[in-house]
Amino acid sequence: MPAGMAFLAAITSVVYYHNIETSNFPKLLIALLFYWTLAFITKTIKFVKFCDNDVGFSQLRFCLTGLLVILYGMLLAVEINVIRVRRYVFFKTPKEVKPPEDLQDLGVRFLQPFVNLLSKGTYWWMNTFIKTAHKKPIDLKTIGKLPIAMRALTNYILLNEAFEAQKSKRSSFPQGSGSIWRALCCAFGRPLLLSSTFRILADLLGFAGPLCISGIVHNVGKGNNTIRPQTKILGVFFISSQEFLSNAYVLAVLLFFALLLQRTFLQASYYVAIETGINLRGAIQTKIYNKIMQLSTSNMSMGEMTAGQICNLVAIDTNQLMWFFFLCPNLWAMPVQIIVGVLLLYYLLGISALIGAAVIIVLAPVQYFVATKLSQAQRSTLEYSNERLKKTNEMLRGIKLLKLYAWEHIFHSSVEETRQKEMTSLKAFALYTSVSIFMNAAIPIAAVLITFVVHAHLTRNADFSPSVAFASISLFHILVSPLFLLSSVVRSTVKALVSVQKLSEFLSSEEIGEEHDKSSELRSADNHSKYQAVPLKVVNRKRPAREDWNNYSSHMRRPINITEADDFCVKITNGFFTWTPEGPPALSNIDIRIPQGQLTMIVGQVGCGKSSLLLATLGEMQKISGNIFWSSSPSDSETGEDVSPEKESSVDTEFRKRGSVAYASQKPWLLNATVEENITFESPFNKQRYKAVIDACSLQPDIDILPHGDQTQIGERGINLSGGQRQRISVARALYQQTNVVFLDDPFSALDIHLSDHLMQEGILKMLREDKRTIVLVTHKLQYLPHADWIIAMKDGYIQREGTLKDIQKSETELFEHWKTLMNRQDQELEKETIIERKSVLERTNLRRTMYSREALLKDDDDDEEEATESDDEDNLSSVLHQRAKMPWRACGKYLSSAGILLLPLLVLSQLLKHTVMVAIDYCLARWTSDAIAGKTELEPRNCSTCEDFNHSPYSKVFSILCCLGIVLCLVTSIAVEWTGLKVTKKLHSSLLNKIILAPMRFFETTPLGSILNRFSADCNTIDQHIPATLECLSRSTLLCVSALAVISYVTPMFLIALVPLAIMCYFIQKYFRVASRDLQQLDDSTQLPLLSHFSETVEGLTTIRAFRYEAKFRQKLLEYTDSNNIASLFLTAANRWLEVRMMQWISAQYQSLCQPWPCSQRGPHEHFPNLLQEYIGACVVLIAAVTSITNSLYNKLSSGLVGLGLTYALMVSNYLNWMVRNLADMEIQLGAVKRINGLLKTEAENYEGLLSPSQIPQNWPDRGEIQIQNLSVRYDSNLKPVLKHVNAHISPGQKIGICGRTGSGKSSFSLAFFRMVDTFEGRIIIDGIDIAKLPLQTLRSRLSIILQDPILFSGTIRFNLDPEKKCTDSMLWEALEIAQLKHVVKALPGGLDAIVTEGGENFSQGQRQLFCLARAFVRKTSIFIMDEATASIDMATENILQKVVMTAFADRTVVTIAHRVHTILNADLVIVMKRGLILEYDKPEVLLEQEDSVFASFVQADK
């Protein structure tokens, strides 16, 4: 009775404390203070009384009283200390107690750091979250914000302080690997120590299982004598500890509590380690990002560091460090576990235990060897996988060209060839994986077999009882775990060492403007702490934050007189600049000035250093000597840059050279954001200005056709825009900003003449120059020179001349005449006005053909869409919730059916047989030990030396045979699973590749490239490497649980009664968990993508970000992305811990509710009781199995061997039950990959078959090149409007046809119709007497030639790019290169025709790539040759040469030219002018030019 009352008092006090905590009324804790004081005093008096009467440690009551004195003393001390520190009571001026700052913020929903100890241990606070997740999908809003202590900024400050401490200690080696390790340990070592302590405690408690089983089975064998107290002191019977522990029921309860504590400590260890790892990852990612912001541009441009390397550092190496910290506690826990395990085995079995342990320890290096080979196979697989993905990416990016040239089979074979190499590595990976799985399962069986056979036969009078046998089996399973985990820990440690080395190299790489930092570093040391206190000012290790650049006074800088300051914006004197410190100067002897508020143009030949001059001015190049002066400007403060109220130190302002500069780089850089966000670029939205910028850059027609207008996502995550569109958005960003200085680096390069003129007139001249902004424009368009107020002419890295156009005309007559020739225009000003006038009359609709799929959506009525959306909302939500709760069984069926008819039955049967044999092994051992103990009992009364010992041979033979069979079946099942995985992955990838490469062009135009590529990368990787392992784990854990429950039910049928509620609870827990786990896993993945994307886009746009002075804003974005990813990871961790605690510890409520039922009316509004019933399932199985087994043994004479068998399996259930649910959740997520690939497999292929057989098609067709177009109407899809309408034309053999028209008029659609790339729904095209609709696609496309507007080159050799079919001789290839004006370029390359072409042809200029594409078309020598705006990227001089070559070299061929520059088709035989899919004009060019109202004539006039 007193014990029961004490238990109720403890429960009541805990509930009371919890309610005080939630109500935030700490004065109520005085009641607990009085209770604990009284309890401490009474227990102390009792303890002293026991001591006076010589009651010692051998008595149980003495030990319990002593423990209670210590417990109440600790509680009392803690409470008194809380009152002393918080001063909330007993003081004259009590403090107002406020909840933590995080809890005052309603956005913080991760409550683990703030809840009480019980809620922390059981993750009780997660109950509401898990239930809510089942009702509606989890998103970032649901999980809220991170607590302050876990945010990336907080942890970065912690890490940075540790770095600075290491730096001050070891100033000579501030960035070495050792220094980084010490900093990491200093910043995050303390939580790891706590995690390690929890882990060691959990591992030690894990040994309670085998010891309790041994005690229970031993006591059951002796009849479990009831406790009979013999000692009577002070009128009370005292029970000794030994008597108490000799009762089986007591041991069962102790086992239960040991399991509770063991699981709680283990989960606490996991949680603390993972939380520390996640915090560390966020801190390191922030550290890397701040380093990126300071990286020298030369690191990127000179190839020392690529965006891919930096992204790998962020995505892979930071995760490696995180996982190392997670596995770190094992380094200390494993030796403890192994030593204690071996000692206990020796205690139970003697010398034979050491033989069994030796088997495990000897085989551990073999396991490590296998793990090493597995890692090597994985690396090899990754290399081939990257190569395959590179080829697949190239194939998908160039799919249009491949289809037009009928080269699908070539690239299909190339990808398949690489896939075969990858499959070879995957086979090795599968082999070592199966060996690893086999060894994990077989080594314990082998160890048990050897140990027991040796123990039974070689050790005379050995104790071979069930208590020893089954305790030993449990100990062997415990001993095997750390030895197998050792290989993972070692691999993780090696990877972490490599990652820290890479991190060290990165952090020590050269920074921009280091000469300033070195001088200011010492003097700014005193202010260091100030910057750490302010968010976003801590992010720069060497230099304080940039956001206050506009707060400094002008007298801090070099004194400039007023007239000089008004005269120039930027001035460079005696400047020598280089990209690398050791390299030669890229710019020499630079003395220039850029006038304030005027238009400065920088001109010169390609490669003369124009862009470098802009970057040098912005401080992006290494300065050898000279000075750059920026004048102060009143409008600098209007840049939109964040301004902090704090004043910066005078030290920093001394080196601040400039304000924000609106910079549009030569290669357009866009954010992964909407069109509007890319243009406004963090500046406040001004509708009027935004509209003016859109108009100046001619973006409205492009925006109109986008699916969501200017809210369409562009960049990696959205629709890929054309080069011209990207260029105009980049320029629009510069125009929109309110900065005083604007740098535009060749903004006209990707624009046609009309767009260029409009941008020059409306954007640069009207918006910028009239606003008195300082504009620096780099351009090749010399026709705009008359607009320049100041001109800088460059040549070979130095300034050739600077001044006004008139100055240059007078002083540099030869240069001026050269410019005039190149301008190709007379009377620039008058001509320009005429063009602009005409431009305003002519309509322009810039349709992107890739967006035709949206046209059908745009023509729908908006109101209808809204109504449909509203009506479907509720149904949609309910169907989504239903789908989330379901397992993807169809995808599972698809996966398993792909394995084939023979392999699937083998997989199922081998698994069933293996687990049947495992049960048989343990049952055999139970019989053997029971019979052995029974035989020994029978012999003991006789006490005769002549009696024979118990004969172990028959049992050991059967046991050995079963163990060997079990080992063989372990091998068969592991091979079957991996073999199944290999067969499935091979079949699915092959089917996917075949479907994709034969899909119609329409599919690629409507499906994002990234989405298709993800199927080949992430999804294929999941199917290749993850699903087989998860399938094996799931089948093993499920069958182990089923077989364990079956054995327990066989041993004690009463267990079946308790099994029903257990099964129901287990079902609901896994159902709720799976939904939450899947959502959180997807959220974790989806939040990682923006983070990695932000890193890559920052690296690519580093110069732009630094030019705008937007470093602080981008750092803030990084912190948001990092925190979003970390909160998702933390919730996923907490959900996993929630599951494991509940699956282990459900019994407490169940057992107590059986003893003392609670009426339903007392459950309360929060339904605590049903939630309580969901806790502790694994411990429930153990306790119920123990109690029922003991009862059954005592009353039904159940053998002690079967009791041991039942308890061993009960422990097994507790270990594998949570793994079953976890694997089920993992399998559900991974089967999503199969589901997505299966969706793509339903794509309909193009109809490659034709009505004509190969024999009916002439071998040399088309030999003449006659084209008849009869009433042709085509569209991109059956539900879209036609893009060509009733077109009729006749092209005679050998004619040269020019097609022109505005963008979107149908020119390119006209050319695609020849190749049947679009849907011809009316009319036909007849080439040399054959209707092309009747031809097989492969034949048709291989007999025609086309050059596309966008040049596409593939990685490989020049020979491969010109002739991938390997049909041409070298002389033919050289001839084609000569025609394309490339022969001298290729001859100069090492290897000639076998010279390397990098991915996308990046090692050649845009113009050279276009010429290679021309050469590729010349090689085919077909009679019909189509050029689709093929000379857009080529300068005028080269284009003129090419036009002459085409006219002569292809005099006998039919050439159709779609013109970008209209003057290129003036020599054509016929000209077709198109408008809105119709032929507007169709005649000879000279005839059309004579007609005054001719559209063609107006085009020619505008193009002069």
Side-chain angles (χ1 to χ4, degrees), residues 1122-1386:
T1122 307
D1123 287 345
S1124 297
N1125 185 225
N1126 287 353
I1127 186 71
S1129 300
L1130 280 167
F1131 261 103
L1132 183 60
T1133 300
N1136 288 334
R1137 305 287 77 77
W1138 177 91
L1139 169 77
E1140 294 192 8
V1141 166
R1142 270 142 193 76
M1143 296 306 271
M1144 268 304 296
Q1145 302 169 346
W1146 183 79
I1147 185 55
S1148 59
Q1150 175 73 12
Y1151 185 65
Q1152 290 160 23
S1153 66
L1154 290 173
C1155 299
Q1156 188 179 6
W1158 293 351
C1160 293
S1161 60
Q1162 294 177 9
R1163 290 183 186 176
H1166 301 295
E1167 296 187 12
H1168 290 306
F1169 183 62
N1171 284 331
L1172 208 63
L1173 285 176
Q1174 291 177 26
E1175 295 191 351
Y1176 307 142
I1177 286 187
C1180 171
V1181 173
V1182 174
L1183 185 60
I1184 292 178
V1187 172
T1188 51
S1189 298
I1190 295 164
T1191 307
N1192 203 9
S1193 176
L1194 292 175
Y1195 295 103
N1196 298 328
K1197 303 300 179 186
L1198 182 71
S1199 71
S1200 57
L1202 289 177
V1203 172
L1205 179 67
L1207 288 176
T1208 305
Y1209 271 87
L1211 272 182
M1212 196 185 296
V1213 170
S1214 69
N1215 287 327
Y1216 284 103
L1217 201 57
N1218 60 76
W1219 275 112
M1220 182 182 75
V1221 179
R1222 285 279 296 279
N1223 287 321
L1224 198 64
D1226 289 344
M1227 179 58 81
E1228 186 177 9
I1229 292 165
Q1230 289 165 11
L1231 283 173
V1234 179
K1235 190 177 177 182
R1236 288 187 291 271
I1237 286 179
N1238 203 26
L1240 282 188
L1241 290 178
K1242 295 173 184 173
T1243 307
E1244 289 186 16
E1246 277 187 289
N1247 182 16
Y1248 275 75
E1249 302 299 322
L1251 298 175
L1252 300 177
S1253 64
S1255 58
Q1256 293 176 290
I1257 306 164
Q1259 189 67 32
N1260 58 345
W1261 178 93
D1263 53 345
R1264 296 183 300 122
E1266 182 184 12
I1267 304 171
Q1268 294 176 12
I1269 302 168
Q1270 299 174 356
N1271 198 32
L1272 183 70
S1273 295
V1274 302
R1275 58 193 172 195
Y1276 281 89
D1277 199 16
S1278 56
N1279 61 345
L1280 295 180
K1281 296 175 185 175
V1283 287
L1284 290 181
K1285 307 165 193 170
H1286 310 294
V1287 172
N1288 289 281
H1290 180 264
I1291 301 170
S1292 302
Q1295 271 193 327
K1296 308 294 178 282
I1297 308 296
I1299 303 175
C1300 62
R1302 293 286 180 204
T1303 306
S1305 60
K1307 306 186 298 294
S1308 294
S1309 304
F1310 189 89
S1311 65
L1312 294 177
F1314 292 119
F1315 296 85
R1316 283 170 46 198
M1317 296 282 279
V1318 285
D1319 175 26
T1320 303
F1321 66 95
E1322 194 177 341
R1324 58 181 185 165
I1325 299 174
I1326 298 171
I1327 298 178
D1328 283 1
I1330 296 178
D1331 185 351
I1332 63 169
K1334 297 178 181 179
L1335 291 166
L1337 269 183
Q1338 183 80 13
T1339 306
L1340 170 66
R1341 292 171 180 173
S1342 63
R1343 306 286 179 91
L1344 306 177
S1345 293
I1346 186 169
I1347 308 171
L1348 295 173
Q1349 180 180 359
D1350 297 321
I1352 297 167
L1353 292 184
F1354 303 101
S1355 56
T1357 61
I1358 292 173
R1359 186 193 303 279
F1360 173 77
N1361 273 279
L1362 296 180
D1363 179 33
E1365 295 174 292
K1366 300 177 182 175
K1367 291 182 177 178
C1368 301
T1369 61
D1370 282 11
S1371 58
M1372 293 166 72
L1373 297 179
W1374 283 117
E1375 182 190 354
L1377 288 170
E1378 191 171 8
I1379 292 171
Q1381 312 296 305
L1382 282 171
K1383 188 174 181 180
H1384 64 287
V1385 175
V1386 175

Side-chain angles (χ1 to χ4, degrees), residues 66-77:
L67 284 173
L68 285 171
V69 169
I70 294 168
L71 176 65
Y72 283 124
M74 287 172 63
L75 288 170
L76 189 59

Side-chain angles (χ1 to χ4, degrees), residues 1312-1478:
L1312 294 177
F1314 292 119
F1315 296 85
R1316 283 170 46 198
M1317 296 282 279
V1318 285
D1319 175 26
T1320 303
F1321 66 95
E1322 194 177 341
R1324 58 181 185 165
I1325 299 174
I1326 298 171
I1327 298 178
D1328 283 1
I1330 296 178
D1331 185 351
I1332 63 169
K1334 297 178 181 179
L1335 291 166
L1337 269 183
Q1338 183 80 13
T1339 306
L1340 170 66
R1341 292 171 180 173
S1342 63
R1343 306 286 179 91
L1344 306 177
S1345 293
I1346 186 169
I1347 308 171
L1348 295 173
Q1349 180 180 359
D1350 297 321
I1352 297 167
L1353 292 184
F1354 303 101
S1355 56
T1357 61
I1358 292 173
R1359 186 193 303 279
F1360 173 77
N1361 273 279
L1362 296 180
D1363 179 33
E1365 295 174 292
K1366 300 177 182 175
K1367 291 182 177 178
C1368 301
T1369 61
D1370 282 11
S1371 58
M1372 293 166 72
L1373 297 179
W1374 283 117
E1375 182 190 354
L1377 288 170
E1378 191 171 8
I1379 292 171
Q1381 312 296 305
L1382 282 171
K1383 188 174 181 180
H1384 64 287
V1385 175
V1386 175
K1387 277 206 167 184
L1389 294 172
L1393 289 171
D1394 295 314
I1396 297 296
V1397 178
T1398 58
E1399 189 174 358
E1402 288 294 330
N1403 54 336
F1404 294 102
S1405 70
Q1406 184 85 352
Q1408 286 173 326
R1409 276 178 255 167
Q1410 191 75 73
L1411 294 174
F1412 274 116
C1413 293
L1414 282 165
R1416 178 194 289 150
F1418 297 153
V1419 166
R1420 284 171 78 96
K1421 294 191 182 298
T1422 56
S1423 61
I1424 295 174
F1425 186 59
I1426 298 163
M1427 297 171 67
D1428 186 358
E1429 302 189 359
T1431 56
S1433 303
I1434 302 169
D1435 61 89
M1436 287 184 175
T1438 311
E1439 186 183 26
N1440 290 334
I1441 297 167
L1442 278 174
Q1443 291 298 332
K1444 290 174 184 174
V1445 169
V1446 168
M1447 293 303 175
T1448 53
F1450 301 103
D1452 57 339
R1453 301 192 202 180
T1454 304
V1455 180
V1456 178
T1457 305
I1458 295 168
H1460 180 76
R1461 296 166 179 161
V1462 186
H1463 69 270
T1464 59
I1465 55 172
L1466 289 174
N1467 297 325
D1469 299 322
L1470 283 173
V1471 168
I1472 297 174
V1473 180
M1474 301 199 69
K1475 181 181 179 183
R1476 294 183 182 176
L1478 298 167

Side-chain angles (χ1 to χ4, degrees), residues 1105-1123:
I1105 294 166
R1106 291 201 288 229
F1108 275 84
R1109 296 288 192 211
Y1110 272 9
E1111 295 99 321
K1113 292 182 178 181
F1114 274 75
R1115 285 179 186 127
Q1116 181 61 42
K1117 269 190 179 181
L1118 170 90
L1119 294 175
E1120 290 169 8
Y1121 288 140
T1122 307
D1123 287 345

Side-chain angles (χ1 to χ4, degrees), residues 358-383:
V359 171
I360 297 173
I361 293 167
V362 165
L363 287 173
V366 179
Q367 178 74 2
Y368 177 71
F369 170 76
V370 171
T372 308
K373 287 292 183 184
L374 190 63
S375 182
Q376 289 173 1
Q378 195 170 19
R379 270 201 303 273
S380 173
T381 304
L382 186 64
E383 287 171 11

